[in-house]
Amino acid sequence: MNPPADKVTEKTAAKAERKDRFTTLGGIPLKTVYTEEDLAGQNPEETIGTPGEFPYTRGIYPTMYRGRLWTMRQYAGFGTAAQSNERFRYLLAKGQTGLSVAFDLPTQIGLDSDHARAAGEVGRTGVAIDSLEDMETLFDQIPLDRVSTSMTINATAAILLALYAAVAKKQGADLLTLSGTVQNDILKEFIARGTYVYPPRPSMRIVTDLFAWCRTELPAWNTISISGYHIREAGSTAAQEVAFALADAIAYVDAAIAAGLGVDEFAPRLSFFFNAHNDLLEEISKYRAARRLWAHLMRERFGAVEPASMMLRFHVQTAGSSLTAQQPENNIVRVAIQALGAVLGGCQSLHTNAMDEALALPTESAALLALRTQQIIAHETGVTNTVDPVGGSYAIETLTGEIESRAKEYIARIDALGGVLRAIETGYVQGEIQRAAYEYQRAVERREQIVVGVNQFVAEKETPIPTMRVDPELERAQIERVRALRHRRDSARAAAAVAEVERRARAGENLMPAIAASVDAYATVGEISDALRRVFGEYTESVVL
């Protein structure tokens, strides 16, 4: 007797599959097809819900992009403040709706441009900012009361925010309505990025001092952007990105409460920063899982009652680690798909990488194309015309639940270790990321994970593309500028202001008023950082193998 037709079809389909096992990029096993049975036991009203309502799985606003598009915020900064200002104004003229500032390495680690350890790095990976003079030039002819600015700065975040506020005040802006974000996420520096200065515990104090100061001085400012992005860039999975970013966030909330702040006083100004990687369905699900998990954490763990305290607002940048130097034009496609995932996942702002960023800082034309990618998604694809168009998909909802479950398991382990600070100090978090990165690299080497143009579909001959180069003379000019500033300023006033920073650091008083007074006196980023170094010391990383 012949087998039933449906059994024959099943066997034929099974044989036709390309692999024995399918997984997401993060290693989550994937079924051939998802059905209603995969959501059995769920109460959709509780787990999926409605946009704009707890647990915000479908988005934090009822109308999402039907009401307002995400902020298109291209990350930019290089060379001198004058050069970066020119790029900012160019992008704003082309339709960018917010600024995102990249600072050079010396600025990030609190060294002035003429410091011996800054040699060769001035203006290379971002703009060099030594003083209020540079900050004024950076935002020349850019009205800060009408533009939202994000600053990717961590160890020296308090100083750079004080500089930004000083420029805004000079422009006549109302600081009570000034909007933007300072990254200020020092924990991920110890985990994944490395631009720390002081040890973890005094670094956390600086973070919460900034929270408290902004509560009265800059109440509309996002006081932190808790970053999963750099954790993902270091090689984590999607679930680890959510888990470790939210574990960091838990530590910040704990520290702020310990410093005497009420959860509903500061939590509405917390924001997040996530990666947009290549696995479209996993990435969409990741953002939805993060929103839901954060809502429950804030309500059930910290007792938040204000809806704004439970809403996970987040910026996304497409994955720098996915960009290839080989066949760089392929990066245009990668970035477009990653950006689409961020939009379908409900981001509040977005940066799209330029195709040439695996080779150098982006050229003007490549940066414009990256911005146009966002504009095409916003205005031509139709995905912004209905809220959460992927909501209710069996595959999406199942993946959302799986990522949330895996992230919760990691957070429970971190809690058992004594919290994320202890988990960092013991190397647990770094070790988990390193293992994930190793497994991914092994998959690429075995060609289980195809990277087009790298381990398959390789070009016989690469066609070079124009790249941007920073003029080495710019470093010399910046050094001369900061030395001239020290000669011109009121040195006694600057020294007294910096001395007050050191006194407050020793006394345990809030550092921000003294930092604000120091930048007004044209003290440099390096001088203020050195005052804190004298009190807190510098952090040396423990090697984790």
Side-chain angles (χ1 to χ4, degrees):
M1 179 184 288
N2 291 327
D6 60 340
K7 294 295 182 184
V8 173
T9 304
E10 276 184 27
K11 288 180 180 179
T12 304
K15 288 179 181 177
E17 290 192 340
R18 294 179 288 108
K19 302 179 184 178
D20 293 333
R21 182 172 178 266
F22 287 81
T23 70
T24 67
L25 197 60
I28 298 174
L30 291 169
K31 296 173 65 173
T32 303
V33 65
Y34 289 86
T35 68
E36 188 175 1
E37 292 181 3
D38 293 290
L39 305 183
Q42 281 193 31
N43 180 343
E45 290 184 6
E46 293 180 359
T47 58
I48 303 174
T50 302
E53 296 182 11
F54 186 90
Y56 307 107
T57 310
R58 304 197 68 187
I60 61 173
Y61 303 124
T63 58
M64 288 301 288
Y65 306 134
R66 284 170 65 106
R68 177 186 171 185
L69 294 172
W70 64 92
T71 301
M72 299 180 192
R73 196 189 295 283
Q74 291 302 109
Y75 187 48
F78 59 91
T80 65
Q83 284 182 304
S84 293
N85 172 265
E86 188 177 331
R87 176 65 64 88
F88 289 168
R89 288 192 286 119
Y90 170 80
L91 289 169
L92 288 168
K94 298 300 182 183
Q96 178 172 295
T97 54
L99 296 175
S100 183
V101 186
F103 297 97
D104 73 355
L105 186 57
T107 305
Q108 292 183 53
I109 59 174
L111 300 177
D112 288 334
S113 295
D114 62 345
H115 194 286
R117 285 164 55 194
E121 294 291 345
V122 176
R124 294 286 173 178
T125 59
V127 60
I129 298 293
D130 290 313
S131 70
L132 180 55
E133 185 176 78
D134 290 328
M135 207 69 158
E136 289 175 289
T137 301
L138 183 65
F139 293 106
D140 182 44
Q141 300 179 62
I142 299 174
L144 298 186
D145 58 351
R146 299 206 299 272
V147 68
S148 168
T149 302
S150 172
M151 294 189 287
T152 303
I153 196 72
N154 297 283
T156 55
I159 304 170
L160 271 296
L161 180 57
L163 287 167
Y164 187 87
V167 173
K169 195 159 39 176
K170 280 176 173 280
Q171 289 185 359
D174 180 1
L175 297 189
L176 297 180
T177 60
L178 200 66
S179 68
T181 303
V182 65
Q183 192 162 96
N184 195 31
D185 175 11
I186 199 62
L187 290 177
K188 67 92 174 49
E189 298 296 330
F190 298 110
I191 292 171
R193 192 163 176 262
T195 60
Y196 42 70
V197 177
Y198 321 107
R201 294 179 193 279
S203 295
M204 288 290 282
R205 172 189 161 186
I206 299 171
V207 169
T208 55
D209 279 0
L210 190 150
F211 285 4
W213 184 74
C214 285
R215 183 176 54 175
T216 55
E217 300 298 318
L218 278 79
W221 191 267
N222 295 325
T223 54
I224 195 168
S225 178
I226 302 157
S227 177
Y229 181 86
H230 301 96
I231 290 168
R232 191 65 180 279
E233 289 290 281
S236 81
T237 66
Q240 288 173 338
E241 179 186 356
V242 172
F244 299 150
L246 267 58
D248 286 350
I250 289 167
Y252 292 125
V253 174
D254 281 335
I257 291 171
L261 302 177
V263 65
D264 286 312
E265 289 181 305
F266 66 86
R269 303 320 309 164
L270 305 180
S271 64
F272 289 80
F273 175 24
F274 290 120
N275 199 294
H277 221 289
N278 286 331
D279 192 320
L280 183 66
L281 300 186
E282 184 175 49
E283 292 301 292
I284 296 169
S285 303
K286 177 185 76 180
Y287 307 126
R288 303 170 92 253
R291 261 196 306 269
R292 187 161 72 204
L293 181 50
W294 182 243
H296 281 286
L297 280 169
M298 291 306 292
R299 186 174 75 175
E300 293 149 23
R301 184 165 182 153
F302 294 110
V305 295
E306 292 295 330
S309 298
M310 306 175 216
M311 295 178 185
L312 186 145
R313 297 171 300 115
F314 66 100
H315 171 71
V316 172
Q317 180 173 340
T318 56
S321 60
S322 75
L323 301 177
T324 62
Q326 301 91 333
Q327 301 177 33
E329 293 90 345
N330 294 343
N331 295 327
I332 298 169
V333 183
R334 292 186 179 101
V335 167
I337 294 168
Q338 293 165 3
L340 179 63
V343 170
L344 290 173
C347 68
Q348 276 61 66
S349 67
L350 176 61
H351 163 83
T352 34
N353 289 327
M355 70 170 181
D356 54 1
E357 288 191 58
L359 301 167
L361 292 169
T363 61
E364 193 172 87
S365 60
L368 178 59
L369 180 57
L371 174 61
R372 292 288 186 250
T373 301
Q374 293 201 48
Q375 292 165 335
I376 289 168
I377 291 171
H379 299 290
E380 296 187 22
T381 63
V383 298
T384 59
N385 295 337
T386 188
V387 181
D388 188 30
V390 298
S393 155
Y394 299 132
I396 290 289
E397 300 301 348
T398 302
L399 279 173
T400 299
E402 180 62 26
I403 292 170
E404 181 185 18
S405 176
R406 291 183 177 211
K408 286 167 76 173
E409 288 175 8
Y410 267 116
I411 291 171
R413 284 182 223 146
I414 289 169
D415 285 342
L417 287 169
V420 78
L421 272 172
R422 184 63 184 146
I424 291 168
E425 290 168 349
T426 61
Y428 169 73
V429 175
Q430 300 94 310
E432 290 297 298
I433 295 169
Q434 287 167 8
R435 274 187 282 276
Y438 175 76
E439 288 303 320
Y440 175 76
Q441 185 58 37
R442 291 283 292 144
V444 171
E445 290 170 0
R446 292 192 295 259
R447 296 179 68 180
E448 295 166 4
Q449 178 64 50
I450 300 302
V451 181
V452 173
V454 175
N455 63 357
Q456 197 161 320
F457 313 112
V458 178
E460 292 182 8
K461 184 179 179 182
E462 291 285 346
T463 304
I465 63 170
T467 55
M468 181 180 164
R469 291 288 179 264
V470 176
D471 185 351
E473 277 296 300
L474 295 175
E475 180 166 330
R476 183 192 57 77
Q478 182 66 19
I479 289 170
E480 288 181 0
R481 198 161 17 252
V482 69
R483 288 176 176 171
L485 168 76
R486 291 198 197 101
H487 183 72
R488 286 195 315 273
R489 72 187 180 185
D490 183 337
S491 297
R493 180 187 171 206
V498 171
E500 176 63 6
V501 172
E502 185 172 342
R503 187 200 68 77
R504 282 178 171 255
R506 294 189 190 282
E509 298 173 19
N510 191 300
L511 296 165
M512 288 303 300
I515 291 174
S518 295
V519 303
D520 279 340
Y522 288 88
T524 66
V525 172
E527 290 165 345
I528 299 167
S529 299
D530 284 345
L532 298 176
R533 283 185 178 94
R534 288 191 289 272
V535 181
F536 300 145
E538 286 191 292
Y539 178 71
T540 302
E541 183 179 18
S542 300
V543 176
V544 179
L545 298 176

